[in-house]
């Protein structure tokens, strides 16, 4: 893990904090970066009760077993990535989850990998968020298909991403993208959202 | 554009997937004793079916899992999707010829 004082967000050259406003006003799309999240990639057998209970006691919630679903644990978002694969996401100031998971799962046939340093998170919300994302992705973002509280992996403007739709009435997405694609994707979304009006928040 | 029903993630566009060629080809167990001709047979000599073809796909941009697809190479219609390691389902071919 990188020393905190050496950390630099992959979007730092865009100087987003200098553009941040406190009120989004009538902007159709609100964007912000949520950098430095801890992401732990967890793999294990969903048919194993020992695995599920150890994961639950560490994460504070059941692992979501339904495809494309997410769950909220203790200080943690849990995203379903595959039939035996999940992401546990927490903020940087929470205690490291990976070590706790490794301890809880020791002796079991599982895999716990820190993945957070390779990604950043772009948050896109607002009444026109879905129209914006639909320009670059083949997923159906309608409420009836991509409900609040679900997640999906796909391509956004040809960059591989993980979408997490947050709970709430206004469409609100967190898009996890690899650091090397982050600036490209931010500029792409900002260009796509231009016609709706954009506000950047901190 | 094909819409492929990933057995894990659900229906997604073809652009999220990568193609893996013919399915159900078994790797020779005693590969160190194979002649060049037998290797060539295994590596290169796949069938080139006109009609229902059993093939492998991987959901590259999604769950990254491999699975098998039964697809009609004439109409491009996908007749069945099934997990790797399982037998293909019985297909009523008359409907689709």
């Amino acid at each position: 893990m990188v020393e905190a004082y050496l950390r630099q967000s992959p979007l730092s050259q865009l100087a987003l904090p200098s553009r941040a406003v406190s009120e989004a006003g009538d902007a159709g799309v609100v964007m912000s970066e949520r950098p430095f999240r801890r992401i732990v990639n967890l793999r294990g057998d969903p048919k194993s009760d020992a695995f599920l209970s150890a994961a639950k006691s560490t994460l504070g919630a059941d692992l979501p077993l339904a495809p494309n679903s997410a769950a909220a644990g203790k200080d943690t978002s849990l995203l379903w990535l595959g039939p035996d694969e999940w992401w546990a996401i927490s903020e940087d100031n929470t205690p490291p989850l990976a070590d706790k998971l490794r301890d809880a799962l020791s002796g079991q046939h599982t895999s716990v990998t820190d993945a957070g340093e390779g990604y950043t998170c772009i948050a896109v919300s607002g009444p026109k968020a879905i129209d914006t994302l639909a320009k670059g992705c083949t997923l159906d973002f309608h409420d009836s298909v991509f409900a609040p509280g679900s997640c999906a992996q796909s391509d956004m403007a040809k960059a591989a991403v993980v979408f997490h739709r947050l709970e709430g009435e206004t469409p609100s997405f967190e898009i996890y993208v690899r650091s090397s694609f982050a600036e490209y994707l931010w500029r792409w979304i900002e260009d796509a959202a231009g016609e709706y009006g954009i506000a950047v928040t901190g | 554009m094909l819409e492929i029903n990933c057995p894990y993630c659900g229906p997604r566009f073809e652009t999220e997937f990568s193609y893996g060629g013919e399915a159900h080809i078994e790797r020779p167990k005693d590969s160190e004793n194979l002649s060049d001709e037998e290797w060539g047979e295994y590596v290169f000599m796949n069938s080139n079916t006109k009609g229902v073809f059993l093939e492998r796909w991987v959901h590259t941009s999604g769950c990254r899992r491999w699975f098998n697809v039964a697809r009609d190479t004439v109409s491009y219609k996908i007749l069945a999707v099934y997990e790797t390691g399982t037998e293909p389902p019985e297909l009523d071919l008359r409907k689709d010829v």
Side-chain angles (χ1 to χ4, degrees), chain A:
Chain A
M1 180 157 294
V2 179
E3 298 296 334
Y5 65 90
L6 291 175
R7 273 233 175 111
Q8 199 174 30
S9 136
L11 295 180
S12 58
Q13 67 272 31
L14 298 181
L16 298 174
S18 69
R19 293 175 54 193
V21 294
S22 52
E23 287 294 322
D26 57 356
V29 177
V30 182
M31 295 177 70
S32 65
E33 188 197 10
R34 296 179 183 163
F36 309 135
R37 286 193 165 171
R38 291 185 197 276
I39 303 174
V40 177
N41 186 292
L42 173 63
R43 296 195 64 178
D45 180 3
K47 294 190 184 79
S48 157
D49 289 335
F51 167 68
L52 291 180
S53 62
K56 183 181 181 180
S57 65
T58 311
L59 300 168
D62 282 313
L63 286 172
L65 297 180
N68 306 313
S69 64
K74 183 177 171 293
D75 304 326
T76 316
S77 300
L78 307 174
L79 308 188
W80 181 97
L81 297 187
D84 58 3
E85 187 172 6
W86 295 267
W87 263 4
I89 303 163
S90 55
E91 296 297 332
D92 186 40
N93 53 8
T94 56
L97 258 182
D99 295 339
K100 284 204 286 182
L101 276 170
R102 275 191 205 103
D103 289 343
L105 295 168
S106 67
Q108 298 192 35
H109 182 62
T110 60
S111 152
V112 177
T113 319
D114 255 318
E117 298 293 340
Y119 288 85
T120 191
C121 176
I122 298 173
V124 178
S125 61
K128 291 290 185 184
I130 286 177
D131 301 64
T132 305
L133 297 183
K135 290 184 187 185
C137 182
T138 55
L139 289 181
D140 186 346
F141 287 104
H142 189 266
D143 289 7
S144 61
V145 180
F146 203 138
S150 54
C151 63
Q153 297 173 85
S154 186
D155 294 320
M156 176 79 201
K158 296 183 183 172
V161 296
V162 179
F163 292 102
H164 180 199
R165 181 162 180 185
L166 306 180
E167 300 284 354
E169 214 162 287
T170 311
S172 177
F173 293 86
E174 290 182 337
I175 305 171
Y176 293 90
V177 59
R178 289 192 176 83
S179 301
S180 49
F181 283 90
E183 184 184 351
Y184 156 74
L185 189 66
W186 176 283
R187 290 184 188 276
W188 197 99
I189 296 174
E190 191 169 340
D191 182 54
E195 61 174 307
Y196 309 123
I198 303 161
V200 176
T201 56

